[in-house]
């Protein structure tokens, strides 16, 4: 059976929309070494707050166009004219606070990369070996680990990145493998995570 066919056993959250299904099947929970894609995930999780993730996915191509493909070094140079330009663009989420936070976070990402050496490597220090589960087995909306990540970034001056947004980012990037164990993508993501974590040192649990 084709792993991404309509007959595949998936997690329960993606709808029948092809864009959503493709995101779940090929992207969600899979690590990336591309620092632009990683920064994109951080930013779009912030834009998603209060909205559906499908809304963000459908607008993602335009987000990439107007935010310099999420090259954070380029976005860090955006000014007030860019903010107004983005507020006039109906192809994205026109929220001043989130737009300004994205530019701010790009500046903070430049600083973090300069201090830590690699945005990707620093982020992956926050990965977990075993996903957190509630007593009833449910996947939580946030964890102590995501709260600690959000707190650290807040200390560094990042905005619009609280514990819930941080955990959604951790899930999407694969810092935690939250595919259901019955999902066809679970084992593939586990293997990709294992390879990606080889040689890395994770932060100890608080």
């Amino acid at each position: 059976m084709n792993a991404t066919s309509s007959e595949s056993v998936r997690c329960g959250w993606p709808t029948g929309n092809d864009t959503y299904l493709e995101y779940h099947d090929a992207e969600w929970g899979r690590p990336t070494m591309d620092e632009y894609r990683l920064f994109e995930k951080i930013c779009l999780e912030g834009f998603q707050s209060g909205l559906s993730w499908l809304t963000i996915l459908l607008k993602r191509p335009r987000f990439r166009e107007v935010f310099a493909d999420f090259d954070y070094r380029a976005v860090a140079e955006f000014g007030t004219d860019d903010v107004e330009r983005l507020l006039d663009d109906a192809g994205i989420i026109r929220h001043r606070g989130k737009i300004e936070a994205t530019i701010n976070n790009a500046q903070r990402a430049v600083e973090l990369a300069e201090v830590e050496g690699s945005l990707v490597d620093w982020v992956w220090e926050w990965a977990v070996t075993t996903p957190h589960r509630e007593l009833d087995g449910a996947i939580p909306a946030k964890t102590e680990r995501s709260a600690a990540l959000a707190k650290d970034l807040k200390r560094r001056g990042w905005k619009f990145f609280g514990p819930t947004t941080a955990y959604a980012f951790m899930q999407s990037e694969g810092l935690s493998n939250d595919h259901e164990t019955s999902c066809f993508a679970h084992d593939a993501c586990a293997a990709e995570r294992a390879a990606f974590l080889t040689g890395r040192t994770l932060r100890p649990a608080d």
Side-chain angles (χ1 to χ4, degrees):
M1 180 177 66
N2 186 327
T4 58
S5 75
S6 60
E7 299 178 0
S8 298
V9 176
R10 290 185 173 91
C11 298
W13 55 265
T15 67
N17 179 279
D18 288 345
T19 298
Y20 214 8
L21 294 175
E22 176 64 20
Y23 174 73
H24 167 273
D25 294 354
E27 187 174 346
W28 193 74
R30 298 175 188 269
T32 176
M33 276 299 295
D34 187 322
E35 60 181 0
Y36 297 168
R37 296 286 75 83
L38 185 146
F39 180 67
E40 171 186 283
K41 287 181 177 180
I42 293 175
C43 295
L44 293 185
E45 291 292 352
F47 273 104
Q48 185 270 336
S49 180
L51 302 168
S52 74
W53 183 244
L54 180 58
T55 296
I56 299 300
L57 282 180
L58 295 175
K59 290 179 177 289
R60 184 165 65 172
R62 183 58 180 166
F63 268 109
R64 288 174 173 173
E65 290 179 20
V66 300
F67 277 104
D69 200 30
F70 288 97
D71 175 347
Y72 60 87
R73 295 176 184 83
V75 177
E77 300 297 325
F78 282 15
T80 54
D81 289 346
D82 293 293
V83 173
E84 297 306 316
R85 166 179 63 85
L86 293 165
L87 285 170
D88 286 337
D89 197 312
I92 65 169
I93 306 302
R94 293 182 288 181
H95 185 292
R96 181 181 292 274
K98 294 177 181 180
I99 290 170
E100 291 178 343
T102 298
I103 297 170
N104 170 79
N105 292 349
Q107 296 164 351
R108 305 291 79 78
V110 171
E111 295 169 354
L112 192 152
E114 289 175 349
V115 171
E116 303 294 343
S118 166
L119 180 61
V120 174
D121 290 342
W122 182 84
V123 163
W124 268 82
E125 292 178 9
W126 296 90
V128 298
T129 54
T130 303
H132 181 86
R133 292 291 181 269
E134 305 291 8
L135 292 178
D136 62 359
I139 297 173
K142 59 184 178 181
T143 64
E144 291 184 5
R145 188 74 153 182
S146 74
L149 171 57
K151 182 178 180 179
D152 195 303
L153 288 180
K154 182 178 181 180
R155 177 182 63 81
R156 295 171 185 263
W158 292 59
K159 299 179 180 179
F160 263 96
F161 198 75
T164 300
T165 300
Y167 196 58
F169 163 72
M170 291 174 67
Q171 292 174 303
S172 69
E173 172 61 11
L175 298 177
S176 178
N177 183 6
D178 280 346
H179 281 283
E180 296 170 11
T181 55
S182 59
C183 175
F184 79 86
H186 179 275
D187 290 351
C189 286
E192 290 184 29
R193 271 176 41 86
F196 205 79
L197 286 169
T198 299
R200 297 181 183 274
T201 301
L202 306 186
R203 291 172 180 253
D206 293 334

